[in-house]
Amino acid sequence: MHADRLTDPICYHAEGPYWSEDWGGLRWVDMLAGDVMHLDAGGTVHRRPTPSRVVACVRPATSGGAVLALEKGFGLEDADGTVTALPPLWDGPIRMNEGAVAPDGSFLCGSMGYDQARGAAAMWRLLPDGTTTRLFGGLTISNGLAFTEDGAHAYYVDTPSGRVDVFDWDDEAGLVERRPFADLVTQEGHPDGLTLDAEGNVWVAMFGGSQVLGLEASGAVAERIEVGARQVTACTFGGADRSTLFITTSREGLSADDDPQAGSLFTAAPGVRGGASETIFGG
């Protein structure tokens, strides 16, 4: 299966796509530009800056706005679009990278070092009351995170491991009992962002591999979607019936004439739908 290109290469490092009816469409980030992107119902793309030079992830909030992962912590968007950065969680050359809203309505996001130093990153949690917690460390490039429909488990990628892992979820302790789900080291590219469909299959973007892999319950590769850009970063289901897979790509580190479609947004229709319900920050 081949993905179709939906936009021109409008982003430098597109990441973190998410579809919400509350937003009226798809949002994603041009991460290293610090901008949030929005694809409206008419197919027009809008770009909105944040007060941070990095915005890593954006998800809907019960306030009518959004919760964001910024360079060194979290931020909140009001219903009118005003973004307020919360106090930074650390100092030093580390930034947020990818996250998800947990079943209890808290927001989780993992970090990475700018130099990709092994073990320097951590997983952070923002509760709706503003409390922040460092759940655990020892990560390197914390990437895709997605929860199952019943909220019992979460699939997760720390890219250098070459794996997709699975956690159990506990409302008090957070992500616990991490274990391997799928070893992808022999596949083309490196696991990056991921999403789940309504049947519980895992779809994982393969950075450097020009593809998205569909993994069945055993962890085996059941589907491949070829993408016309090498650096595939993340994917999510959306559209009116949640049957469109939106795929983000990056041109970070590439020359102007190398990989000309990099930074574009792509779509595919793999014949399955995303989960029907949304988990919103705030519960």
Side-chain angles (χ1 to χ4, degrees):
M1 179 183 299
H2 293 267
D4 297 318
R5 186 161 65 98
L6 185 63
T7 72
D8 291 333
I10 54 176
C11 291
Y12 179 68
H13 186 62
E15 265 278 14
Y18 193 80
W19 180 277
S20 173
E21 298 296 340
D22 290 345
W23 293 337
L26 182 80
R27 289 191 188 182
W28 70 105
V29 299
D30 192 355
M31 183 183 287
L32 302 179
D35 294 339
V36 174
M37 313 296 293
H38 176 65
L39 177 71
D40 66 24
T44 301
V45 176
H46 308 266
R47 179 183 289 267
R48 295 194 297 174
T50 71
S52 174
R53 70 172 185 165
V54 171
V55 56
C57 187
V58 57
R59 293 293 186 269
T62 55
S63 64
V67 61
L68 305 96
L70 304 177
E71 183 179 23
K72 297 185 183 299
F74 297 107
L76 297 174
E77 178 190 274
D78 295 335
D80 65 3
T82 302
V83 176
T84 301
L86 301 182
L89 299 174
W90 63 81
D91 191 18
I94 296 174
R95 63 168 174 83
M96 286 293 200
N97 197 50
E98 182 62 283
V101 177
D104 70 336
S106 62
F107 181 47
L108 275 58
C109 196
S111 62
M112 63 172 285
Y114 278 102
D115 62 358
Q116 303 182 15
R118 187 167 295 275
M123 182 67 68
W124 293 84
R125 183 184 191 183
L126 174 67
L127 295 175
D129 66 4
T131 302
T132 55
T133 305
R134 183 181 181 273
L135 292 180
F136 52 84
L139 304 175
T140 300
I141 303 177
S142 189
N143 249 312
L145 178 66
F147 289 85
T148 56
E149 192 80 15
D150 62 5
H153 308 289
Y155 291 91
Y156 171 71
V157 167
D158 186 4
T159 294
S161 72
R163 298 191 314 265
V164 176
D165 291 340
V166 62
F167 284 94
D168 294 336
W169 173 255
D170 180 275
D171 282 349
E172 293 297 323
L175 298 170
V176 296
E177 300 297 329
R178 180 180 179 181
R179 55 209 182 265
F181 168 70
D183 189 339
L184 302 178
V185 294
T186 62
Q187 301 294 326
E188 188 71 23
H190 308 281
D192 201 319
L194 57 78
T195 193
L196 306 182
D197 65 30
E199 300 173 8
N201 302 307
V202 180
W203 298 81
V204 55
M206 299 296 287
F207 190 89
S210 302
Q211 63 178 338
V212 174
L213 300 179
L215 309 178
E216 58 189 15
S218 67
V221 176
E223 183 67 81
R224 296 179 191 272
I225 299 174
E226 298 178 15
V227 181
R230 290 198 304 274
Q231 297 182 161
V232 185
T233 56
C235 54
T236 195
F237 283 96
D241 60 358
R242 299 287 179 125
S243 64
T244 300
L245 187 67
F246 292 91
I247 303 165
T248 52
T249 64
S250 171
R251 56 187 172 89
E252 181 185 10
L254 301 176
S255 62
D257 58 352
D258 187 18
D259 203 358
Q261 297 188 61
S264 303
L265 181 69
F266 292 79
T267 63
V272 293
R273 296 180 180 180
S277 63
E278 296 179 22
T279 307
I280 299 177
F281 175 70

